[in-house]
Amino acid sequence: MRKNCEIKLIGTPPSPYVNRVQFVLNLKSIEYEYIEENLACKSELLLASNPVYKKVPVLLHANKPPIPESLIIIEYLDEIYPDIHPILPSDPLGRANNHFWANYIDTKVSRRLHKFFWKHLT
């Protein structure tokens, strides 16, 4: 994770959404700069890069528009580096099935875990 890389990831360490992007970046051996965000005091970079949700992760790639949302970032990385450890299936039905389960985990499982931990940690 060096500075001055073409790819930068805005994130925060305890986020499983950031962690899943980091996993893919590392699996594909993509060099990137990690920009740690303080969500209690959001930076101008985050607010400008993800003005809709104002959340991490956000991928910055050269001079292209920022890419928010972990699953979208992973799909993008898989498309620009297709020959290095492909993440998504190549067939449309397989990708659709993959998207279904990723969405299910995000909407059903992750939210319940998040509520459980916040309830017991506060």
Side-chain angles (χ1 to χ4, degrees):
M1 293 181 270
R2 325 176 323 201
K3 291 192 178 239
N4 300 323
C5 288
E6 186 176 89
I7 293 182
K8 299 175 188 332
L9 177 64
I10 304 172
T12 187
S15 169
Y17 304 106
V18 172
N19 296 150
R20 72 166 63 147
V21 174
Q22 289 175 306
F23 176 80
V24 170
L25 286 163
N26 293 328
L27 180 68
K28 290 181 168 284
S29 300
I30 300 168
E31 289 190 20
Y32 67 99
E33 178 184 345
Y34 180 71
I35 302 168
E36 189 167 325
E37 182 66 39
N38 178 355
L39 296 179
C41 181
K42 297 176 181 177
S43 70
E44 288 301 317
L45 178 61
L46 175 63
L47 297 175
S49 300
N50 190 357
V52 175
Y53 293 114
K54 301 171 179 66
K55 293 181 181 180
V56 294
V58 177
L59 187 85
L60 307 173
H61 184 196
N63 294 322
K64 297 173 176 67
I67 304 168
E69 299 295 321
S70 62
L71 296 176
I72 296 168
I73 294 169
I74 290 168
E75 189 168 352
Y76 174 76
L77 292 171
D78 216 30
E79 288 179 7
I80 63 170
Y81 297 102
D83 298 330
I84 307 169
H85 298 288
I87 304 297
L88 298 171
S90 59
D91 67 292
L93 185 58
R95 278 195 313 276
N97 191 41
N98 186 282
H99 284 295
F100 170 81
W101 286 111
N103 183 57
Y104 180 82
I105 290 168
D106 282 351
T107 58
K108 304 293 184 194
V109 178
S110 294
R111 289 189 180 143
R112 287 186 182 151
L113 285 174
H114 183 75
K115 286 179 184 178
F116 172 81
F117 284 113
W118 277 108
K119 180 179 177 183
H120 290 85
L121 292 175
T122 55

